[in-house]
């Protein structure tokens, strides 16, 4: 019986490298890698050895005969991929990791950030070189979007963090948490103490709608809303009003579906996850029973992945429908096989009156060809006017039209693309020349695209550029030592590996008492208090 890859696929290709018959595609060497929603097992070639399931960091791979309920669809999805995919199961020459030959002394590298891109970068350097690594984060606990961006009902996806846990115990890695680059230490400080500095800071803000009224109370960004229910300290006090019966989410990507799913889920199902306590309490009193997803273009351009759509479609107690309209009828008439319109065509198409109170029960409404033109209200959001002339009564608007990186102190920044100008991860100055020893990885490098696993290849490329520069003698020798002393002097509330691990232990212990994976501390003082139970 063959194996199949399911909803939580992270696409980091750990499974590809261990498959003895090369039956998992697309591989990192194939053009579709990074553009497909997930990876797929060829059922005709799979020999049922289970190596892929053992290697999967997010428990996404199962024998087909063990799939139950909605997951049975993934057997079909894996099989259908190979009906049209032009792939070969023949082995090609292996792509061995780079190493650093004959470098004088010990390479010292600083990595700013502790999310997936940062961890994949540290992983590559520690495994393939003798480099000493310094990781910094402005928050007391690592994880980036693994901690504050992945929805709490996707606990399997969060398991990829366990695969990074060995990093924090590595003798060649130092952690400086609760230290902000640009406030406590500058880029110049990092460059003076390290051969290279790699920025893996992600994209911390959201794109704006650019319409009147989007700043009214009741209008929030998806970035802040997701951070709020994930216990990010910056958003613990976010005023989320769930007293309206209808919420409008602008966007139709995975984040938009995450927001809709959390708003419509049974709070008691979420109570077994690591959702923030303050969010769970608010959701238990929520009156929201209908969520409308607004998309500017037609169904064929939907940005969500197929696995996320299936998770939303099978949410217990929730009807998912598509609002009728010319964009929908045109797209559904001849949907592209395997495309988003074909997926959406499986849902009921209905006329929906969004000016009145929602119908009984819980419902998700996909509305296409309906970009917001104005957010209306005096004291708070009361309705959203869309460009086709319609109006939607609502008390909550969530803007989920994409993340956006912000400028990094001391580095150039391209406002048009919201990225750090770079070539192969090498940061470029205004003249297009590489800044010595300065690199970028992740969303700040390529823009907010790709899932968690995409960062693995992205990190490999940046590390490859760094190793090329090191071998060519292009890295400057650090002028000073004693970076730890500098951090302690500049950021006396910083914490290191011991304190960071203590926070993790304390949150897990709190979770064990209530049958949850962890109960998060939601404020910096709480986090620092837990960290110092056993010192720095």
């Amino acid at each position: 019986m063959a194996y199949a890859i399911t909803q939580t696929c992270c696409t980091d290709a750990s499974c590809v490298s261990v498959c003895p018959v090369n039956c998992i595609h697309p591989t990192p060497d194939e053009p579709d890698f990074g553009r497909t929603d997930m990876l797929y097992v060829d059922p005709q070639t799979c020999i049922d050895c289970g190596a892929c399931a053992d290697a999967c960091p997010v428990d996404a791979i199962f024998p087909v005969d063990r799939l139950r309920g909605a997951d049975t669809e993934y057997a079909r999805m894996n099989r259908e991929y190979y009906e049209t995919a032009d792939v070969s199961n023949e082995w090609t020459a292996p792509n061995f990791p780079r190493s650093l030959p004959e470098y004088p002394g010990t390479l010292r590298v600083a990595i700013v950030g502790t999310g997936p891109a940062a961890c994949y970068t540290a992983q590559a350097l520690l495994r393939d070189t003798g480099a000493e690594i310094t990781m910094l984060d402005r928050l007391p606990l690592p994880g980036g979007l693994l901690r504050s961006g992945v929805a709490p009902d996707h606990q399997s996806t969060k398991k990829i963090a366990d695969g990074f846990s060995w990093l924090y115990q590595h003798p060649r890695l130092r952690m400086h948490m609760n230290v902000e680059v640009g406030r406590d230490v500058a880029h110049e400080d990092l460059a003076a103490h390290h051969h290279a500095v790699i920025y893996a800071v992600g994209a911390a803000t959201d794109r704006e709608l650019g319409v009147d009224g989007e700043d009214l109370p009741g209008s929030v960004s998806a970035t802040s809303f997701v951070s709020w229910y994930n216990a990010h300290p910056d958003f613990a006090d976010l005023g989320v009003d769930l007293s309206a019966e209808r919420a409008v989410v602008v966007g139709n990507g995975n984040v938009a579906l995450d927001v809709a799913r959390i708003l419509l889920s049974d709070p008691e199902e979420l109570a077994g996850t690591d959702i923030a306590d303050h969010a769970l309490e608010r959701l238990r009193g929520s009156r929201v029973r209908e969520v409308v997803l607004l998309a500017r273009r037609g169904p064929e351009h939907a940005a969500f992945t197929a696995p996320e759509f299936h998770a939303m479609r099978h949410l217990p107690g929730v009807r998912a429908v598509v609002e009728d309209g010319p964009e929908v009828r045109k797209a559904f008439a001849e949907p592209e096989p395997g495309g988003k319109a074909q997926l959406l065509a499986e849902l009921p198409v209905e006329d929906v009156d969004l000016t009145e109170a929602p119908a009984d029960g819980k419902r998700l409404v996909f509305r296409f060809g309906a970009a917001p033109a104005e957010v209306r209200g005096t004291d708070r959001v009361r309705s959203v006017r869309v460009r086709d002339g319609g109006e939607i009564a609502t008390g909550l608007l969530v803007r989920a039209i994409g993340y956006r990186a912000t400028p990094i102190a001391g580095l150039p920044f391209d406002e048009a693309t919201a990225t750090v100008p770079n070539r192969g991860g090498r940061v470029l100055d205004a003249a297009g020349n590489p800044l010595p020893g300065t690199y970028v990885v992740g969303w700040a490098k390529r823009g907010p695209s790709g899932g968690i696993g995409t960062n693995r290849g992205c990190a490999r490329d940046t590390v490859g550029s760094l190793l090329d520069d090191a071998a060519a003698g292009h890295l400057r020798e650090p002028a000073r030592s004693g970076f730890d002393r500098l951090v302690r002097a500049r950021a006396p509330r910083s914490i290191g590996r011991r304190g960071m691990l203590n926070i993790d232990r304390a949150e897990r212990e709190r979770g064990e008492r209530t049958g949850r994976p962890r109960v998060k501390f939601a404020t910096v003082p709480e986090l620092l208090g837990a960290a110092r139970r056993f010192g720095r």
Side-chain angles (χ1 to χ4, degrees), residues 15 21 38-39 41 86 156 208 216 344 364 425 433 481 495 499:
C15 53
V21 292
M38 54 185 285
L39 306 184
V41 174
D86 182 18
S156 291
E208 297 181 349
L216 281 169
L344 287 156
L364 173 69
N433 300 314
S481 59
I495 62 173

Side-chain angles (χ1 to χ4, degrees), residues 100 103-109 130-133 172 195 477-478:
L100 183 61
Y103 189 79
T106 300
L107 189 69
R108 300 209 300 268
V109 181
E132 293 180 352
I133 311 297
R172 286 189 281 115
H195 293 89
E477 190 67 21

Side-chain angles (χ1 to χ4, degrees), residues 191-368:
H193 290 83
H194 301 86
H195 293 89
V197 184
I198 304 175
Y199 287 87
V201 294
T205 62
D206 63 297
R207 295 171 55 195
E208 297 181 349
L209 294 174
V211 302
D212 291 341
E214 71 173 295
D215 294 327
L216 281 169
S219 173
V220 300
S221 70
T223 306
S224 58
F225 187 78
V226 169
S227 297
W228 170 74
Y229 64 60
N230 272 316
H232 192 294
D234 290 351
F235 300 93
D237 297 326
L238 183 69
V240 178
D241 187 345
L242 302 180
S243 61
E245 293 182 318
R246 176 184 293 121
V248 172
V249 179
V250 182
N252 60 3
N254 284 349
V255 174
L257 289 188
D258 281 348
V259 170
R261 200 176 60 253
I262 294 301
L263 286 171
L264 293 173
S265 290
D266 181 348
E268 300 315 311
E269 291 296 322
L270 296 174
T273 72
D274 65 351
I275 190 170
D277 283 349
H278 57 251
L280 182 61
E281 181 181 359
R282 194 78 57 86
L283 287 165
R284 279 174 166 152
S286 171
R287 298 183 63 214
V288 175
R289 52 193 177 88
E290 180 173 271
V291 175
V292 180
L293 294 181
L294 288 186
R296 177 170 55 89
R297 298 191 290 176
E300 67 275 23
H301 299 293
F304 55 73
T305 61
E308 289 296 328
F309 172 78
H310 285 297
M312 184 73 245
R313 179 186 175 189
H314 294 289
L315 192 64
V318 177
R319 289 187 67 243
V321 304
V322 177
E323 184 183 24
D324 195 10
E327 293 265 10
V328 170
R329 289 192 292 271
K330 179 181 177 182
F332 287 3
E334 295 183 8
E336 178 186 356
K340 300 302 167 57
Q342 187 179 61
L343 279 178
L344 287 156
E346 299 173 5
L347 300 179
V349 178
E350 300 180 0
D351 290 318
V352 181
D353 186 354
L354 299 175
T355 62
E356 300 294 334
D360 292 338
K362 290 185 176 182
R363 182 171 67 172
L364 173 69
V365 179
F366 289 90
R367 183 172 187 177
F368 293 97

Side-chain angles (χ1 to χ4, degrees), residues 20-35:
V21 292
N22 196 29
C23 75
I24 302 175
H25 297 269
T27 70
D29 299 323
E30 293 170 347
D32 284 346
F33 186 80
R35 295 202 295 266

Side-chain angles (χ1 to χ4, degrees), residues 146 150 351 361 482:
L146 271 179
V150 176
D351 290 318

Side-chain angles (χ1 to χ4, degrees), residues 174-185:
R174 300 282 295 176
M175 304 290 295
H176 293 291
M177 311 300 296
N178 204 41
V179 177
E180 184 171 348
V181 176
R183 181 194 66 187
D184 301 315
V185 295

